[in-house]
Amino acid sequence: MKNSFFREADLLETLGFIMPISAPMQQRVNEQVITQTFNRKKLLLKPGEIARRLYFIRSGFLRAYFIDENGRECTTWFMGKGDLMISVYSFFTQQPAHEYIEVLQDCKLQSLTWNELNAFYADFREGNLLGRVVTQKYYILSEERAIFLRTHTPETRYKILLGRYPEIEQQTTLTNIASYLGISRETLSRLRAKKLKMCHQSQNGENSISHFN
């Protein structure tokens, strides 16, 4: 759920883009949602903890990751302004998480608890519909992620990621990006060098045409 504005995203406003929100539900959201700021490197969730809150990202950049059997960090999600960030399994089942949620850039988050969210489902018709939209969104993202890793070449994965988060190389480390793409840091370096070379050649071509004209 992306917000196209340059200013900070807002939870109520973003939900309103999906469907009209009644005044009583708006009032409930305003009463219950909390807004917090977190610094870079803050861990919002660790394995073994239960995800109690659903986070809406007003500003900043986050990731979810797990550590595999070889001790390597494997990034599963990047989320930025206007996105919702949760440990899907832990939040919806209220069982211990298997992953970390880490703040990559100082952020401002709005959040609701699992109990509050379920009360919205029970008390408001649009709350139930919004819950279905959110669930569908993450189901689709999970399916896209699986297809992303199985069917696309590393170069295509890299292009898709840059298309979604153009500034990601300033927002996190190359190691994190490589782990998300399912490639080595060395492979990512080669892809970046190829991209820079193509950009340089394209700029030189444009300059030559401009000079000729």
Side-chain angles (χ1 to χ4, degrees):
M1 279 168 281
K2 285 285 188 181
N3 191 324
S4 60
F5 298 124
F6 289 106
R7 59 186 171 75
E8 285 184 354
D10 178 81
L11 175 59
L12 259 182
E13 185 177 50
T14 302
L15 294 178
F17 287 140
I18 300 172
M19 65 181 62
I21 307 297
S22 65
M25 183 171 169
Q26 289 185 42
Q27 181 177 351
R28 175 88 68 84
V29 171
N30 283 327
E31 290 172 351
Q32 295 185 338
V33 72
I34 66 170
T35 301
Q36 298 169 286
T37 57
F38 297 98
N39 294 330
R40 177 176 171 270
K41 296 187 177 182
K42 169 70 176 179
L43 292 175
L44 300 178
L45 184 71
K46 299 177 184 177
E49 297 177 347
I50 296 176
R52 303 293 187 186
R53 289 189 169 272
L54 177 151
Y55 293 99
F56 176 79
I57 305 172
R58 292 195 63 172
S59 63
F61 202 61
L62 291 79
R63 72 162 176 151
Y65 71 95
F66 66 93
I67 298 177
D68 68 13
E69 63 274 11
N70 297 313
R72 293 174 301 196
E73 293 183 5
C74 299
T75 300
T76 51
W77 301 104
F78 288 117
M79 293 292 176
K81 183 178 70 172
D83 284 327
L84 293 172
M85 186 55 143
I86 52 174
S87 172
V88 178
Y89 170 81
S90 179
F91 183 79
F92 286 112
T93 65
Q94 287 297 280
Q95 297 296 314
H98 303 294
E99 62 190 341
Y100 297 84
I101 293 179
E102 179 187 18
V103 175
L104 297 174
Q105 288 192 316
D106 294 354
C107 64
K108 182 181 289 187
L109 306 178
Q110 292 179 298
S111 66
L112 292 165
T113 68
W114 183 85
N115 287 330
E116 289 166 345
L117 191 66
N118 278 275
F120 283 118
Y121 295 164
D123 297 342
F124 303 101
R125 179 177 177 274
E126 65 269 37
N128 206 343
L129 292 173
L130 285 167
R132 283 165 49 189
V133 170
V134 171
T135 303
Q136 289 169 4
K137 170 189 169 70
Y138 280 91
Y139 180 85
I140 291 169
L141 282 175
S142 295
E143 184 75 7
E144 288 178 344
R145 171 78 170 143
I147 294 170
F148 175 85
L149 291 174
R150 287 200 307 263
T151 64
H152 293 306
T153 64
E155 185 172 6
T156 300
R157 290 179 224 157
Y158 181 48
K159 288 179 179 178
I160 291 172
L161 182 62
L162 290 179
R164 184 174 187 194
Y165 297 114
E167 298 178 356
I168 193 168
E169 291 176 350
Q170 288 75 54
Q171 294 171 310
T172 189
T173 66
L174 295 182
T175 299
N176 288 345
I177 294 172
S179 74
Y180 176 82
L181 297 174
I183 60 178
S184 68
R185 169 100 179 231
E186 291 72 24
T187 298
L188 177 58
S189 295
R190 287 195 294 271
L191 292 176
R192 294 182 72 237
K194 181 179 179 181
K195 176 177 175 289
L196 290 172
K197 182 179 179 180
M198 291 176 65
C199 289
H200 182 67
Q201 289 174 341
S202 176
Q203 290 173 355
N204 284 343
E206 291 175 357
N207 290 337
S208 297
I209 292 172
S210 176
H211 178 71
F212 180 77
N213 290 336

